[in-house]
Amino acid sequence: MQESKSKLFKQRLFRIHIAAGVIFSIIMYIAIFFGIFAILLPYIKTWEKPSRHIQTTDIFNIDYNYMINKVLEDESFPKDDILINLPGRMNDPAVIITNPFVKPIAFNPTTKERLEDETKEKSHLADFLNELHYGQPLKLIGRLSFGFVAVGTLVLTITGLILIYLFKFANKGKNQQAVFSKIHVKVFTWAFLPFLLITLSGAVMNVGLISAGPMSKIVSKGEAKAIDEVVGKVLFEENKPIKKLNEPTKMLELKELLKKASKVNPDLTFKQIRLKNWNDKSSQVEIVGYNPYKPFLNGGIFNRPTVTLNAQSGKLIKNQKVMDKVWPVFVAEGLFFLHFLFGIDIFSRIIVAIIMALCAIAIGFAMMLYLEKKAKKYDKKITFYHWLGKFTLASMIGVIPATGVLFLLQWLLPFSLEHRVLWQQGIFYNVWLFTLFWSFFRINSYQASKEFLYSGGVIFILSAFIHSINSGFSFFELISFNLRNILAVDISLILFGAILIYVAKKLPSNRSEAKSFWILNKKVKDEKNI
C-alpha cells in the first residue's frame, strides 16, 4: 500500500514537472539564450561602436584635467557633481565625462580628442540583446512574463531535484528518449545551483522591482511612491552637500590624486571619479572603486568603496571600505552581483556563459523528449506534425540565425542611415518570424533545424569579416593596435559560427536517422541496424 502511494506521488510529481516544463521552457530558453550575450555585454558594446576602437590606456597616465577644462568651456555644462567614468569601466576604453542632467561626453584617453559618441539611435546592439533577455521589448507584459517564468523555474527545479534524489531516478535506458532524458538530468544535476541562483535573482529583479512601487505605497500608507523612499536611507548613505566657498583655487592633477588614492587603498580597482565643487577651495574628489578580493559584497549598485580626497592638497578626507556597510546592503549587493556579475574578469564570465549555455541545451533536450513521446504515438502511421514542435523549433533554433542577422547588420548598415537601429531590429524580428513560417512549411523538422544552424553559422562568421572590412581594422591591425577585446569578439563570432555549421553537418536529417544517431551504446545500435 505504501509503495503504491509512493508510486502515485511520483507519477503526479512527474506530471507537474512535465506540465510546468512545457509551459515555461520556451520563454526560459529565450531568456537564457539572450542572457548569454548579456553576460558578454561589455565586450559587445565595445565591438559595436566605431568610436570605441581605441586602445585602453593606464588610468594613472591620462590628462583628465585637460578634458575637464574642455568640457567646462561649454557654459551649459554643470560645474558641480561632475562624474568621470575611467577607461576599463564596463570594458569601455574611453574617458566619459557626464552629469545627471547632460549628455555624456567621450574622449580618447591617448590623444585627448573628443569622440563622436554613437547615440542609441545609431548603435544599440548590446543593450537590445540585454532587453530581449528580460522581455523589455514587450514592456510591462514582457517583463512580468519573463519574471514569472523565472519564478516558475523554482517549481521545475524543486520537482526535478525530488525526482532525481528522493526517488533515485535511474535513467538507464539506451533509446532516443532515454538519451534526451539523461542529458537533461545530468546537466541540471551538476548545474542546478548556479542556474537557480542566477534565475532567482533575475526573478527578484523583474517581478520584485515592478511590484516595488505599489508595495512601497502600501507599507508607507501612501507616503512613498518608490522603494528608494522606503529603504534608501538604509542602502544608500546620505551625503550632505558641501558648502561652496566661492574662492577659485588651482586643482591638483587627477592622475596624481588617483595615485594617492591607490596608496590609501591598494586593493581597489578604480572605476569612477566624482568631482564636487570643482575649481573651488571647498572641492573634493570622490574616487569610486571595486575590490576584486571581496566579490558579491561590492562593486555594483549599493556598496561601492570610495576614497575621498581634498582636490587641492590630496589630503585624505574619507576612506570608505567594503565592510563598512550594514548587512542589508550586502544582501542587496549579493543579489544583484549574482545576475550582473559586477567586476568579474572575462574568464569567469565565459565559465558562467558556458554553464548557462549547457542549461539552455538541457532545456532543449527536455522539449525534444516531450515531443518525441508525442511523436512515438504516430510512429510508422503518419508523419508527426505538431504545432508546439514547430513553434519550439522557431523559438529555440530559429532565434540563432535571427540573432546572427543583428550582428551582421551592425556593421553592414551605414552608421549615417536614418532610423538605423529601427531597420536593424525590424529585420531581426522579420527574420525570426520567417523561421516560424519556415518551420511550419517544412514537414521535416530535422531538415529545418539543419538549415537554421547552417545559415546561422554562416551569418555569424560573415558578421566578423564584415566588421573587419567596414570598421577599417583588419584582424592583424586589431592585434598590432592592442585592441584584443574587439578581436576576441570577432574570434568568438567565427568560432560560434563554425560550431553551428559543424553541429548542423553532424545532426541527422530525418527521424529514422535520429533513432540511430542518439543511441550511445554501440552494441544496441548494431543490433538495431540488423
Side-chain angles (χ1 to χ4, degrees), residues 402-443:
T403 306
V405 167
L406 275 176
F407 281 87
L408 180 66
L409 294 177
Q410 180 61 28
W411 284 95
L412 192 60
L413 295 176
F415 281 86
S416 58
L417 179 67
E418 191 176 2
H419 306 302
R420 183 179 183 278
V421 169
L422 188 62
W423 276 103
Q424 183 183 20
Q425 294 178 5
I427 294 171
F428 159 76
Y429 286 126
N430 277 282
V431 171
W432 199 1
L433 188 61
F434 175 78
T435 65
L436 179 61
F437 160 77
W438 193 254
S439 297
F440 279 95
F441 175 76
R442 277 285 192 202
I443 300 297

mmCIF file of all heavy atoms in Angstrom, residues 402-443:
data_model
loop_
_atom_site.group_PDB
_atom_site.id
_atom_site.type_symbol
_atom_site.label_atom_id
_atom_site.label_comp_id
_atom_site.label_asym_id
_atom_site.label_seq_id
_atom_site.Cartn_x
_atom_site.Cartn_y
_atom_site.Cartn_z
ATOM 1 N N ALA A 402 18.445 34.539 -36.665
ATOM 2 C CA ALA A 402 17.881 35.889 -36.476
ATOM 3 C C ALA A 402 18.839 36.768 -35.671
ATOM 4 O O ALA A 402 19.053 37.936 -35.997
ATOM 5 C CB ALA A 402 16.527 35.795 -35.776
ATOM 6 N N THR A 403 19.435 36.198 -34.624
ATOM 7 C CA THR A 403 20.408 36.947 -33.818
ATOM 8 C C THR A 403 21.683 37.215 -34.618
ATOM 9 O O THR A 403 22.292 38.278 -34.494
ATOM 10 C CB THR A 403 20.745 36.169 -32.533
ATOM 11 O OG1 THR A 403 19.537 35.864 -31.833
ATOM 12 C CG2 THR A 403 21.663 36.977 -31.624
ATOM 13 N N GLY A 404 22.075 36.240 -35.445
ATOM 14 C CA GLY A 404 23.230 36.452 -36.321
ATOM 15 C C GLY A 404 23.024 37.639 -37.239
ATOM 16 O O GLY A 404 23.961 38.404 -37.506
ATOM 17 N N VAL A 405 21.791 37.826 -37.696
ATOM 18 C CA VAL A 405 21.466 38.967 -38.564
ATOM 19 C C VAL A 405 21.702 40.291 -37.829
ATOM 20 O O VAL A 405 22.153 41.269 -38.423
ATOM 21 C CB VAL A 405 20.013 38.862 -39.066
ATOM 22 C CG1 VAL A 405 19.543 40.163 -39.693
ATOM 23 C CG2 VAL A 405 19.884 37.721 -40.069
ATOM 24 N N LEU A 406 21.398 40.326 -36.528
ATOM 25 C CA LEU A 406 21.654 41.534 -35.734
ATOM 26 C C LEU A 406 23.130 41.916 -35.782
ATOM 27 O O LEU A 406 23.483 43.085 -35.984
ATOM 28 C CB LEU A 406 21.236 41.302 -34.277
ATOM 29 C CG LEU A 406 19.782 41.520 -33.884
ATOM 30 C CD1 LEU A 406 19.578 41.130 -32.433
ATOM 31 C CD2 LEU A 406 19.358 42.959 -34.112
ATOM 32 N N PHE A 407 24.007 40.927 -35.580
ATOM 33 C CA PHE A 407 25.446 41.178 -35.615
ATOM 34 C C PHE A 407 25.908 41.557 -37.019
ATOM 35 O O PHE A 407 26.760 42.443 -37.180
ATOM 36 C CB PHE A 407 26.211 39.943 -35.125
ATOM 37 C CG PHE A 407 26.228 39.792 -33.635
ATOM 38 C CD1 PHE A 407 25.201 39.137 -32.968
ATOM 39 C CD2 PHE A 407 27.268 40.315 -32.884
ATOM 40 C CE1 PHE A 407 25.216 39.006 -31.589
ATOM 41 C CE2 PHE A 407 27.295 40.187 -31.501
ATOM 42 C CZ PHE A 407 26.266 39.529 -30.856
ATOM 43 N N LEU A 408 25.363 40.895 -38.028
ATOM 44 C CA LEU A 408 25.752 41.187 -39.411
ATOM 45 C C LEU A 408 25.377 42.621 -39.795
ATOM 46 O O LEU A 408 26.183 43.359 -40.372
ATOM 47 C CB LEU A 408 25.078 40.188 -40.347
ATOM 48 C CG LEU A 408 25.386 40.340 -41.850
ATOM 49 C CD1 LEU A 408 26.850 40.039 -42.124
ATOM 50 C CD2 LEU A 408 24.485 39.427 -42.676
ATOM 51 N N LEU A 409 24.142 43.016 -39.465
ATOM 52 C CA LEU A 409 23.664 44.357 -39.828
ATOM 53 C C LEU A 409 24.352 45.460 -39.044
ATOM 54 O O LEU A 409 24.348 46.616 -39.468
ATOM 55 C CB LEU A 409 22.146 44.438 -39.618
ATOM 56 C CG LEU A 409 21.292 43.560 -40.532
ATOM 57 C CD1 LEU A 409 19.822 43.689 -40.155
ATOM 58 C CD2 LEU A 409 21.493 43.947 -41.993
ATOM 59 N N GLN A 410 24.931 45.110 -37.874
ATOM 60 C CA GLN A 410 25.596 46.129 -37.056
ATOM 61 C C GLN A 410 26.686 46.849 -37.844
ATOM 62 O O GLN A 410 26.897 48.045 -37.687
ATOM 63 C CB GLN A 410 26.186 45.496 -35.793
ATOM 64 C CG GLN A 410 26.893 46.464 -34.861
ATOM 65 C CD GLN A 410 25.976 47.551 -34.340
ATOM 66 O OE1 GLN A 410 24.764 47.351 -34.219
ATOM 67 N NE2 GLN A 410 26.539 48.722 -34.039
ATOM 68 N N TRP A 411 27.404 46.108 -38.689
ATOM 69 C CA TRP A 411 28.475 46.728 -39.475
ATOM 70 C C TRP A 411 28.184 46.736 -40.971
ATOM 71 O O TRP A 411 28.994 47.253 -41.752
ATOM 72 C CB TRP A 411 29.795 46.011 -39.194
ATOM 73 C CG TRP A 411 30.344 46.403 -37.858
ATOM 74 C CD1 TRP A 411 30.186 45.748 -36.668
ATOM 75 C CD2 TRP A 411 31.095 47.575 -37.567
ATOM 76 N NE1 TRP A 411 30.797 46.432 -35.654
ATOM 77 C CE2 TRP A 411 31.365 47.556 -36.175
ATOM 78 C CE3 TRP A 411 31.571 48.638 -38.327
ATOM 79 C CZ2 TRP A 411 32.089 48.566 -35.541
ATOM 80 C CZ3 TRP A 411 32.298 49.646 -37.711
ATOM 81 C CH2 TRP A 411 32.545 49.606 -36.331
ATOM 82 N N LEU A 412 27.044 46.182 -41.378
ATOM 83 C CA LEU A 412 26.663 46.226 -42.793
ATOM 84 C C LEU A 412 25.863 47.483 -43.109
ATOM 85 O O LEU A 412 26.057 48.108 -44.159
ATOM 86 C CB LEU A 412 25.843 44.980 -43.144
ATOM 87 C CG LEU A 412 25.589 44.715 -44.626
ATOM 88 C CD1 LEU A 412 26.901 44.532 -45.384
ATOM 89 C CD2 LEU A 412 24.708 43.468 -44.797
ATOM 90 N N LEU A 413 24.986 47.885 -42.194
ATOM 91 C CA LEU A 413 24.209 49.112 -42.387
ATOM 92 C C LEU A 413 25.087 50.334 -42.126
ATOM 93 O O LEU A 413 25.820 50.368 -41.139
ATOM 94 C CB LEU A 413 23.007 49.140 -41.434
ATOM 95 C CG LEU A 413 21.922 48.076 -41.630
ATOM 96 C CD1 LEU A 413 20.866 48.207 -40.545
ATOM 97 C CD2 LEU A 413 21.286 48.201 -43.012
ATOM 98 N N PRO A 414 25.023 51.355 -42.976
ATOM 99 C CA PRO A 414 25.819 52.581 -42.743
ATOM 100 C C PRO A 414 25.388 53.261 -41.447
ATOM 101 O O PRO A 414 24.196 53.317 -41.139
ATOM 102 C CB PRO A 414 25.492 53.452 -43.962
ATOM 103 C CG PRO A 414 24.894 52.524 -44.971
ATOM 104 C CD PRO A 414 24.240 51.422 -44.212
ATOM 105 N N PHE A 415 26.346 53.786 -40.704
ATOM 106 C CA PHE A 415 26.018 54.472 -39.449
ATOM 107 C C PHE A 415 25.322 55.811 -39.707
ATOM 108 O O PHE A 415 24.740 56.386 -38.795
ATOM 109 C CB PHE A 415 27.279 54.672 -38.609
ATOM 110 C CG PHE A 415 27.706 53.440 -37.865
ATOM 111 C CD1 PHE A 415 28.515 52.489 -38.472
ATOM 112 C CD2 PHE A 415 27.270 53.205 -36.574
ATOM 113 C CE1 PHE A 415 28.897 51.342 -37.799
ATOM 114 C CE2 PHE A 415 27.640 52.054 -35.887
ATOM 115 C CZ PHE A 415 28.461 51.113 -36.502
ATOM 116 N N SER A 416 25.379 56.270 -40.944
ATOM 117 C CA SER A 416 24.690 57.521 -41.301
ATOM 118 C C SER A 416 23.237 57.280 -41.704
ATOM 119 O O SER A 416 22.485 58.230 -41.926
ATOM 120 C CB SER A 416 25.426 58.193 -42.461
ATOM 121 O OG SER A 416 25.497 57.325 -43.585
ATOM 122 N N LEU A 417 22.826 56.010 -41.792
ATOM 123 C CA LEU A 417 21.464 55.676 -42.200
ATOM 124 C C LEU A 417 20.446 56.176 -41.183
ATOM 125 O O LEU A 417 20.591 55.972 -39.977
ATOM 126 C CB LEU A 417 21.337 54.152 -42.361
ATOM 127 C CG LEU A 417 19.964 53.614 -42.754
ATOM 128 C CD1 LEU A 417 19.604 54.042 -44.176
ATOM 129 C CD2 LEU A 417 19.931 52.088 -42.649
ATOM 130 N N GLU A 418 19.411 56.842 -41.693
ATOM 131 C CA GLU A 418 18.353 57.349 -40.806
ATOM 132 C C GLU A 418 17.541 56.175 -40.249
ATOM 133 O O GLU A 418 17.258 55.213 -40.960
ATOM 134 C CB GLU A 418 17.449 58.302 -41.590
ATOM 135 C CG GLU A 418 16.484 59.079 -40.699
ATOM 136 C CD GLU A 418 15.672 60.096 -41.484
ATOM 137 O OE1 GLU A 418 15.839 60.168 -42.712
ATOM 138 O OE2 GLU A 418 14.868 60.808 -40.847
ATOM 139 N N HIS A 419 17.205 56.259 -38.973
ATOM 140 C CA HIS A 419 16.467 55.195 -38.282
ATOM 141 C C HIS A 419 17.209 53.863 -38.391
ATOM 142 O O HIS A 419 16.616 52.802 -38.588
ATOM 143 C CB HIS A 419 15.052 55.040 -38.847
ATOM 144 C CG HIS A 419 14.253 56.302 -38.859
ATOM 145 N ND1 HIS A 419 13.995 57.036 -37.713
ATOM 146 C CD2 HIS A 419 13.665 56.978 -39.893
ATOM 147 C CE1 HIS A 419 13.268 58.092 -38.033
ATOM 148 N NE2 HIS A 419 13.072 58.090 -39.332
ATOM 149 N N ARG A 420 18.501 53.917 -38.243
ATOM 150 C CA ARG A 420 19.364 52.747 -38.437
ATOM 151 C C ARG A 420 18.997 51.591 -37.496
ATOM 152 O O ARG A 420 18.857 50.447 -37.934
ATOM 153 C CB ARG A 420 20.823 53.160 -38.209
ATOM 154 C CG ARG A 420 21.832 52.064 -38.447
ATOM 155 C CD ARG A 420 23.242 52.583 -38.206
ATOM 156 N NE ARG A 420 24.216 51.545 -38.503
ATOM 157 C CZ ARG A 420 24.567 50.573 -37.660
ATOM 158 N NH1 ARG A 420 24.014 50.535 -36.449
ATOM 159 N NH2 ARG A 420 25.455 49.665 -38.002
ATOM 160 N N VAL A 421 18.863 51.891 -36.207
ATOM 161 C CA VAL A 421 18.551 50.855 -35.223
ATOM 162 C C VAL A 421 17.163 50.266 -35.480
ATOM 163 O O VAL A 421 16.961 49.055 -35.317
ATOM 164 C CB VAL A 421 18.651 51.423 -33.787
ATOM 165 C CG1 VAL A 421 18.069 50.455 -32.771
ATOM 166 C CG2 VAL A 421 20.106 51.725 -33.443
ATOM 167 N N LEU A 422 16.237 51.087 -35.914
ATOM 168 C CA LEU A 422 14.882 50.615 -36.229
ATOM 169 C C LEU A 422 14.916 49.616 -37.384
ATOM 170 O O LEU A 422 14.240 48.570 -37.336
ATOM 171 C CB LEU A 422 13.980 51.801 -36.578
ATOM 172 C CG LEU A 422 12.485 51.500 -36.744
ATOM 173 C CD1 LEU A 422 11.896 50.987 -35.450
ATOM 174 C CD2 LEU A 422 11.745 52.745 -37.204
ATOM 175 N N TRP A 423 15.715 49.909 -38.406
ATOM 176 C CA TRP A 423 15.881 48.978 -39.527
ATOM 177 C C TRP A 423 16.486 47.665 -39.039
ATOM 178 O O TRP A 423 16.031 46.579 -39.402
ATOM 179 C CB TRP A 423 16.786 49.604 -40.590
ATOM 180 C CG TRP A 423 16.092 50.518 -41.540
ATOM 181 C CD1 TRP A 423 16.112 51.884 -41.542
ATOM 182 C CD2 TRP A 423 15.254 50.141 -42.640
ATOM 183 N NE1 TRP A 423 15.337 52.375 -42.561
ATOM 184 C CE2 TRP A 423 14.801 51.332 -43.257
ATOM 185 C CE3 TRP A 423 14.833 48.910 -43.152
ATOM 186 C CZ2 TRP A 423 13.965 51.318 -44.367
ATOM 187 C CZ3 TRP A 423 13.998 48.896 -44.274
ATOM 188 C CH2 TRP A 423 13.566 50.090 -44.861
ATOM 189 N N GLN A 424 17.531 47.778 -38.226
ATOM 190 C CA GLN A 424 18.242 46.594 -37.735
ATOM 191 C C GLN A 424 17.322 45.690 -36.919
ATOM 192 O O GLN A 424 17.260 44.478 -37.150
ATOM 193 C CB GLN A 424 19.433 47.036 -36.888
ATOM 194 C CG GLN A 424 20.304 45.912 -36.375
ATOM 195 C CD GLN A 424 21.417 46.426 -35.475
ATOM 196 O OE1 GLN A 424 21.342 47.537 -34.941
ATOM 197 N NE2 GLN A 424 22.452 45.627 -35.292
ATOM 198 N N GLN A 425 16.589 46.281 -35.990
ATOM 199 C CA GLN A 425 15.712 45.486 -35.138
ATOM 200 C C GLN A 425 14.499 44.967 -35.906
ATOM 201 O O GLN A 425 14.037 43.848 -35.660
ATOM 202 C CB GLN A 425 15.274 46.328 -33.937
ATOM 203 C CG GLN A 425 16.430 46.685 -33.003
ATOM 204 C CD GLN A 425 16.004 47.566 -31.834
ATOM 205 O OE1 GLN A 425 14.820 47.848 -31.648
ATOM 206 N NE2 GLN A 425 16.967 48.012 -31.055
ATOM 207 N N GLY A 426 14.007 45.765 -36.843
ATOM 208 C CA GLY A 426 12.866 45.337 -37.661
ATOM 209 C C GLY A 426 13.211 44.125 -38.512
ATOM 210 O O GLY A 426 12.418 43.175 -38.620
ATOM 211 N N ILE A 427 14.395 44.131 -39.121
ATOM 212 C CA ILE A 427 14.837 42.991 -39.932
ATOM 213 C C ILE A 427 15.021 41.759 -39.047
ATOM 214 O O ILE A 427 14.678 40.638 -39.428
ATOM 215 C CB ILE A 427 16.135 43.334 -40.686
ATOM 216 C CG1 ILE A 427 15.866 44.431 -41.726
ATOM 217 C CG2 ILE A 427 16.713 42.099 -41.381
ATOM 218 C CD1 ILE A 427 17.102 44.994 -42.380
ATOM 219 N N PHE A 428 15.565 41.962 -37.839
ATOM 220 C CA PHE A 428 15.723 40.848 -36.887
ATOM 221 C C PHE A 428 14.382 40.186 -36.586
ATOM 222 O O PHE A 428 14.254 38.953 -36.658
ATOM 223 C CB PHE A 428 16.357 41.377 -35.600
ATOM 224 C CG PHE A 428 16.125 40.507 -34.391
ATOM 225 C CD1 PHE A 428 16.842 39.333 -34.219
ATOM 226 C CD2 PHE A 428 15.182 40.865 -33.422
ATOM 227 C CE1 PHE A 428 16.625 38.513 -33.107
ATOM 228 C CE2 PHE A 428 14.971 40.059 -32.317
ATOM 229 C CZ PHE A 428 15.689 38.889 -32.154
ATOM 230 N N TYR A 429 13.370 40.997 -36.254
ATOM 231 C CA TYR A 429 12.057 40.427 -35.934
ATOM 232 C C TYR A 429 11.457 39.701 -37.141
ATOM 233 O O TYR A 429 10.833 38.636 -37.002
ATOM 234 C CB TYR A 429 11.105 41.528 -35.471
ATOM 235 C CG TYR A 429 11.367 42.043 -34.081
ATOM 236 C CD1 TYR A 429 11.546 43.410 -33.846
ATOM 237 C CD2 TYR A 429 11.439 41.178 -32.998
ATOM 238 C CE1 TYR A 429 11.786 43.888 -32.566
ATOM 239 C CE2 TYR A 429 11.673 41.650 -31.718
ATOM 240 C CZ TYR A 429 11.849 43.009 -31.509
ATOM 241 O OH TYR A 429 12.087 43.472 -30.237
ATOM 242 N N ASN A 430 11.663 40.256 -38.334
ATOM 243 C CA ASN A 430 11.107 39.632 -39.530
ATOM 244 C C ASN A 430 11.799 38.320 -39.865
ATOM 245 O O ASN A 430 11.147 37.361 -40.299
ATOM 246 C CB ASN A 430 11.206 40.601 -40.719
ATOM 247 C CG ASN A 430 10.053 41.589 -40.754
ATOM 248 O OD1 ASN A 430 8.950 41.259 -41.162
ATOM 249 N ND2 ASN A 430 10.310 42.808 -40.293
ATOM 250 N N VAL A 431 13.112 38.275 -39.671
ATOM 251 C CA VAL A 431 13.844 37.020 -39.905
ATOM 252 C C VAL A 431 13.387 35.960 -38.911
ATOM 253 O O VAL A 431 13.169 34.797 -39.275
ATOM 254 C CB VAL A 431 15.374 37.250 -39.807
ATOM 255 C CG1 VAL A 431 16.120 35.911 -39.818
ATOM 256 C CG2 VAL A 431 15.857 38.127 -40.945
ATOM 257 N N TRP A 432 13.240 36.351 -37.654
ATOM 258 C CA TRP A 432 12.779 35.398 -36.630
ATOM 259 C C TRP A 432 11.374 34.904 -36.956
ATOM 260 O O TRP A 432 11.067 33.716 -36.824
ATOM 261 C CB TRP A 432 12.831 36.057 -35.256
ATOM 262 C CG TRP A 432 12.821 35.073 -34.114
ATOM 263 C CD1 TRP A 432 12.791 33.712 -34.207
ATOM 264 C CD2 TRP A 432 12.853 35.368 -32.716
ATOM 265 N NE1 TRP A 432 12.799 33.126 -32.949
ATOM 266 C CE2 TRP A 432 12.841 34.124 -32.021
ATOM 267 C CE3 TRP A 432 12.893 36.552 -31.984
ATOM 268 C CZ2 TRP A 432 12.861 34.050 -30.627
ATOM 269 C CZ3 TRP A 432 12.913 36.483 -30.593
ATOM 270 C CH2 TRP A 432 12.901 35.246 -29.926
ATOM 271 N N LEU A 433 10.515 35.820 -37.410
ATOM 272 C CA LEU A 433 9.150 35.438 -37.802
ATOM 273 C C LEU A 433 9.180 34.514 -39.021
ATOM 274 O O LEU A 433 8.385 33.571 -39.114
ATOM 275 C CB LEU A 433 8.325 36.691 -38.113
ATOM 276 C CG LEU A 433 6.828 36.495 -38.356
ATOM 277 C CD1 LEU A 433 6.155 35.913 -37.120
ATOM 278 C CD2 LEU A 433 6.176 37.816 -38.737
ATOM 279 N N PHE A 434 10.119 34.760 -39.940
ATOM 280 C CA PHE A 434 10.238 33.906 -41.122
ATOM 281 C C PHE A 434 10.628 32.475 -40.731
ATOM 282 O O PHE A 434 10.180 31.507 -41.347
ATOM 283 C CB PHE A 434 11.275 34.473 -42.088
ATOM 284 C CG PHE A 434 11.538 33.578 -43.275
ATOM 285 C CD1 PHE A 434 10.648 33.527 -44.326
ATOM 286 C CD2 PHE A 434 12.672 32.770 -43.318
ATOM 287 C CE1 PHE A 434 10.868 32.682 -45.421
ATOM 288 C CE2 PHE A 434 12.910 31.936 -44.389
ATOM 289 C CZ PHE A 434 12.006 31.887 -45.447
ATOM 290 N N THR A 435 11.465 32.340 -39.705
ATOM 291 C CA THR A 435 11.838 30.994 -39.253
ATOM 292 C C THR A 435 10.619 30.240 -38.726
ATOM 293 O O THR A 435 10.555 29.007 -38.845
ATOM 294 C CB THR A 435 12.928 31.033 -38.164
ATOM 295 O OG1 THR A 435 12.423 31.672 -36.977
ATOM 296 C CG2 THR A 435 14.177 31.749 -38.651
ATOM 297 N N LEU A 436 9.659 30.954 -38.159
ATOM 298 C CA LEU A 436 8.415 30.315 -37.717
ATOM 299 C C LEU A 436 7.619 29.832 -38.931
ATOM 300 O O LEU A 436 7.122 28.705 -38.955
ATOM 301 C CB LEU A 436 7.576 31.298 -36.889
ATOM 302 C CG LEU A 436 6.236 30.773 -36.365
ATOM 303 C CD1 LEU A 436 6.444 29.580 -35.430
ATOM 304 C CD2 LEU A 436 5.464 31.879 -35.656
ATOM 305 N N PHE A 437 7.533 30.685 -39.940
ATOM 306 C CA PHE A 437 6.857 30.289 -41.181
ATOM 307 C C PHE A 437 7.551 29.080 -41.812
ATOM 308 O O PHE A 437 6.893 28.115 -42.222
ATOM 309 C CB PHE A 437 6.855 31.469 -42.165
ATOM 310 C CG PHE A 437 6.628 31.066 -43.594
ATOM 311 C CD1 PHE A 437 5.369 30.749 -44.054
ATOM 312 C CD2 PHE A 437 7.695 30.987 -44.492
ATOM 313 C CE1 PHE A 437 5.154 30.368 -45.370
ATOM 314 C CE2 PHE A 437 7.505 30.608 -45.803
ATOM 315 C CZ PHE A 437 6.228 30.292 -46.255
ATOM 316 N N TRP A 438 8.882 29.121 -41.859
ATOM 317 C CA TRP A 438 9.642 28.037 -42.477
ATOM 318 C C TRP A 438 9.502 26.729 -41.682
ATOM 319 O O TRP A 438 9.494 25.645 -42.263
ATOM 320 C CB TRP A 438 11.109 28.439 -42.597
ATOM 321 C CG TRP A 438 11.911 27.540 -43.495
ATOM 322 C CD1 TRP A 438 12.833 26.610 -43.135
ATOM 323 C CD2 TRP A 438 11.837 27.494 -44.929
ATOM 324 N NE1 TRP A 438 13.351 25.981 -44.244
ATOM 325 C CE2 TRP A 438 12.751 26.501 -45.359
ATOM 326 C CE3 TRP A 438 11.086 28.183 -45.880
ATOM 327 C CZ2 TRP A 438 12.941 26.203 -46.697
ATOM 328 C CZ3 TRP A 438 11.275 27.881 -47.228
ATOM 329 C CH2 TRP A 438 12.193 26.900 -47.610
ATOM 330 N N SER A 439 9.391 26.846 -40.365
ATOM 331 C CA SER A 439 9.213 25.662 -39.520
ATOM 332 C C SER A 439 7.912 24.953 -39.854
ATOM 333 O O SER A 439 7.853 23.719 -39.908
ATOM 334 C CB SER A 439 9.214 26.066 -38.032
ATOM 335 O OG SER A 439 10.446 26.626 -37.667
ATOM 336 N N PHE A 440 6.849 25.718 -40.096
ATOM 337 C CA PHE A 440 5.568 25.118 -40.461
ATOM 338 C C PHE A 440 5.571 24.639 -41.909
ATOM 339 O O PHE A 440 4.923 23.650 -42.247
ATOM 340 C CB PHE A 440 4.429 26.120 -40.246
ATOM 341 C CG PHE A 440 3.965 26.200 -38.818
ATOM 342 C CD1 PHE A 440 4.459 27.165 -37.964
ATOM 343 C CD2 PHE A 440 3.039 25.301 -38.324
ATOM 344 C CE1 PHE A 440 4.040 27.240 -36.646
ATOM 345 C CE2 PHE A 440 2.605 25.360 -37.010
ATOM 346 C CZ PHE A 440 3.113 26.342 -36.170
ATOM 347 N N PHE A 441 6.313 25.355 -42.766
ATOM 348 C CA PHE A 441 6.366 24.984 -44.184
ATOM 349 C C PHE A 441 7.102 23.667 -44.387
ATOM 350 O O PHE A 441 6.678 22.817 -45.172
ATOM 351 C CB PHE A 441 7.050 26.105 -44.974
ATOM 352 C CG PHE A 441 7.269 25.786 -46.422
ATOM 353 C CD1 PHE A 441 6.213 25.837 -47.318
ATOM 354 C CD2 PHE A 441 8.525 25.426 -46.891
ATOM 355 C CE1 PHE A 441 6.411 25.541 -48.667
ATOM 356 C CE2 PHE A 441 8.737 25.126 -48.225
ATOM 357 C CZ PHE A 441 7.667 25.184 -49.118
ATOM 358 N N ARG A 442 8.212 23.496 -43.664
ATOM 359 C CA ARG A 442 8.995 22.271 -43.759
ATOM 360 C C ARG A 442 8.307 21.137 -42.982
ATOM 361 O O ARG A 442 8.144 21.240 -41.774
ATOM 362 C CB ARG A 442 10.390 22.480 -43.179
ATOM 363 C CG ARG A 442 11.389 23.101 -44.118
ATOM 364 C CD ARG A 442 11.851 22.106 -45.135
ATOM 365 N NE ARG A 442 13.012 22.597 -45.863
ATOM 366 C CZ ARG A 442 13.377 22.155 -47.044
ATOM 367 N NH1 ARG A 442 12.657 21.203 -47.636
ATOM 368 N NH2 ARG A 442 14.440 22.620 -47.654
ATOM 369 N N ILE A 443 7.945 20.088 -43.673
ATOM 370 C CA ILE A 443 7.375 18.927 -42.978
ATOM 371 C C ILE A 443 8.430 18.288 -42.077
ATOM 372 O O ILE A 443 8.165 17.906 -40.940
ATOM 373 C CB ILE A 443 6.852 17.887 -44.000
ATOM 374 C CG1 ILE A 443 5.766 18.505 -44.892
ATOM 375 C CG2 ILE A 443 6.315 16.654 -43.273
ATOM 376 C CD1 ILE A 443 4.527 18.937 -44.155
#
